[in-house]
Amino acid sequence: MSIVFVEPPSPPGFVAFRHSHGGYGELCRGSRLRFPTLDLFHGASLLLDHGIAACVIDSVLQGHAPQDCVAAILAEDPSMVVFRTSSGSCPHDLAVARLLKRGFGGPILFYGPHVGVEPEAILADPAVDAVLLAEAPAPFLKIAQAGGFAGIPGVWFKRSGRVVKNPSAPRTDLDALPIPRWDLVDYRKYSYVTSQTSWGCPFGCGYCPYPLTQGALWRVRSNASVVGEFTALRRRYGLRFVLLRDPEFSLEKKRTAALCRALIEAGTPLMWGCETRLDTLDDELMDLMARAGCVRVAFGVESASAAALKKMGRRAPAPSRVKEQVAALKSRGMLTYAMYIIGLPEETERSTKDLIELAVELDTNAASFSMATPFAGTRLEILGRQAGSITAPEPLHLTSSVASMRNAALSTSDVERLYALAKSTWKQRKSNPAMAVS
């Protein structure tokens, strides 16, 4: 058996980042960044490690149109094709699968966290033969070894005109994950390659999908596993930096400190960046992270409104403490990357402008502004449906660059206007550092 793992082309007008938001994905307009979807490489690498033919086609990286993607798949002459889908891109991904089906007689499987939102609807598409409702990559190895879907935990598939639903699958054994084979693609075209040392988040912020897609239980790889991967990435591929996709890197200080010490003892094989909460960092941990190779820290500020944060169940440090922590990271030579959300419940015109002013004042190295997005199963989606405030029913609204919901004070056009104001103000800040948002 040979399996092709596919990152489908981006929907027209967007760049797809299917690994974002816990795997629900994000669609950005005009982004020049390109990131890999890590679980695609885990899947293909696991099969190759067991002597099973596999490859990855990243049509986002290669700038494929749908017909280019299909041609690339058919050129591999696979036994099975695996599509990685996401919330906003799913209709477009299905359209690509239908185009492929015209010239491909083998099974097509769809996977990704969004599959768990509407498995029946996806499997009802004539192009789709099976869906995976489990964490990758372990089920792919079982499918390949069995030569089919029968009895494989986590898989639903079509057989003789009906849907067979296999039992659910256990969570991934994180230390069994393979070292990704980045040379399956022209990996140097990526902005960064990625890794992950922990999964899940117990905080449950109302806008965040991570507790839904990866679980509320924080699960970690062993230090030896992480050090081994970092060392291999440097030796095999000559990499100097890797971006960690952990939802909450420094959740537990003891584990984080031990991992940093292990990396230091190994000679700090790579520089790396992570995402974490500012309130889980202290001076000792920041010192260790810097010595272990951390050069970039991303964190969520989200809102300057205490009412909005409370509504979302977000326990966040006061703005004064945020400023102190950002200064502490900068003093250790770390690049800072702040994330903000426009249009959450309880936000107003004034509170949003306060947020923009805070972003300018923090003067982080980079900033990401997004519009409140009601991802499936989040408290934000539940509140939005209760209030009737979700205004964009089409799937493309499930991305942070499209206004999809209003609140009591802001219409969707207000959210779009303030989002544009935030981005333009941030872009102009260096030319006029004293600027204020009136």
Side-chain angles (χ1 to χ4, degrees), residues 330-352:
K330 288 181 177 180
S331 72
R332 291 165 171 84
M334 298 184 193
L335 301 175
T336 52
Y337 186 118
M339 295 173 285
Y340 308 92
I341 302 175
I342 308 296
L344 289 170
E346 305 296 333
E347 288 284 8
T348 64
E349 179 102 6
R350 183 65 262 166
S351 71
T352 304

Side-chain angles (χ1 to χ4, degrees), residues 45 54 56 61 143 170 192 272 306 322 341 387 428 437:
S45 302
V56 172
L61 182 68
I143 291 168
Y192 315 106
W272 47 275
V322 171
I341 302 175
Q428 296 166 16
V437 181

Side-chain angles (χ1 to χ4, degrees), residues 25-37:
E26 181 173 7
L27 303 177
C28 295
R29 298 184 188 275
S31 177
R32 291 177 294 178
L33 297 175
R34 296 294 183 271
F35 295 118
T37 299

Side-chain angles (χ1 to χ4, degrees), residues 56 156 189 260:
V56 172
W156 293 9
K189 289 184 177 179
C260 287

Side-chain angles (χ1 to χ4, degrees), residues 165-177:
K165 300 179 180 180
N166 292 331
S168 59
R171 290 285 192 183
T172 297
D173 176 0
L174 300 181
D175 278 347
L177 290 171

